[in-house]
């Protein structure tokens, strides 16, 4: 369990040993950082129980949970892959526009709220998933629903 | 008496020189980042995600929204070795 970055790293080692045969094979998610950032709240909306289970398993294992938490990890991967699959099938254009905007803006969600509104509406209509920010105080508008984004660079993309 | 424009020519030259070199550097940085604006304020999470993007697509700023990773992705995360004293 590496806790720090290696110093003076020159060589790498790639271990091609396959996983044991008794572990079910789950394909890794092929989405990179901007699409994952864009879909993150929808993955959270559908997969919250599995994600909470995985986080609880890792927290309780106290740094040694790589093998013990494989089962919860497989559930997380399958659920996130299902959300991405559904978004690709139903809302591909809005999704692509939103993550292209995020990629141009340092992955900052508040620069791309206009496109995010379109994506949220499309996903809510087709997949019934709604983005909520956990921990919002009850008497305040959530940040993604506000009219004016105070840190956005230009007024067009708010 | 008009504006002494000959005296302002050196300032114009300096402005043009700074402008051209700044624009050239900015264009080079834009091209180096895959025709996107460069990223800033990167923390360890962002660096790790960009390393994952490089493993997925081959480019540091490449993005893909496929659901399944390409074959061999699960094995491409290397152990980074460091030299020891012994």
């Amino acid at each position: 369990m590496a806790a720090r970055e290696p110093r003076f790293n020159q060589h790498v080692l790639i271990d091609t040993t396959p996983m044991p045969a008794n572990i079910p094979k789950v394909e890794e998610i092929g989405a990179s950082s901007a699409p994952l950032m864009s879909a993150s709240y929808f993955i959270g909306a559908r997969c919250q129980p599995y994600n909470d289970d995985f986080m609880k398993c890792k927290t309780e294992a106290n740094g040694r949970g790589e093998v013990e938490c494989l089962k919860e990890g497989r559930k997380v991967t399958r659920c996130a892959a299902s959300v991405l699959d559904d978004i690709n099938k139903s809302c591909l254009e809005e999704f692509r526009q939103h993550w292209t905007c995020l990629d141009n803006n340092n992955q900052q969600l508040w620069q791309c709220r206009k496109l995010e509104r379109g994506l949220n509406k499309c996903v809510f209509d087709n997949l019934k998933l709604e983005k909520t920010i956990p921990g919002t105080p009850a008497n305040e508008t959530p940040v993604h629903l506000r009219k004016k984004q105070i840190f956005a660079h230009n007024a067009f993309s708010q | 008496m008009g504006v002494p424009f000959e005296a302002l020519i050196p300032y114009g030259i300096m402005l043009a020189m700074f402008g051209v070199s700044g624009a050239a550097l900015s264009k080079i940085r834009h091209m180096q980042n895959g025709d996107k604006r460069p990223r800033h304020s990167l923390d360890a999470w962002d660096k790790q995600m960009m390393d994952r993007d490089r493993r997925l697509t081959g480019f540091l700023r490449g993005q893909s929204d496929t659901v399944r990773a390409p074959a061999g992705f699960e094995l491409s995360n290397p152990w980074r070795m460091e030299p020891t004293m012994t």
Side-chain angles (χ1 to χ4, degrees), chain A residues 4 6-9 11-14 28-35 81 88 96 99 103 105-107, chain B residues 36-37 39-40 49 52-53 56 61-69 73-75 78-83:
Chain A
R4 62 168 173 79
R7 293 191 194 112
F8 305 127
N9 161 246
H11 304 288
V12 297
L13 170 71
I14 300 206
E28 297 285 335
I29 297 202
S32 48
S33 49
N88 271 4
R96 284 213 167 130
W99 67 251
D103 206 15
N105 279 306
N106 203 28
Q107 315 273 353
Chain B
K36 298 172 190 168
R37 293 166 61 189
R39 297 203 55 179
H40 60 91
M49 288 306 282
R52 182 175 177 271
D53 293 349
L56 262 179
R61 294 294 302 271
Q63 303 284 338
S64 90
D65 59 4
T66 55
V67 181
R68 306 265 173 271
F73 174 69
E74 59 268 7
L75 295 172
W79 289 93
R80 296 196 159 91
M81 307 199 290
E82 64 178 34

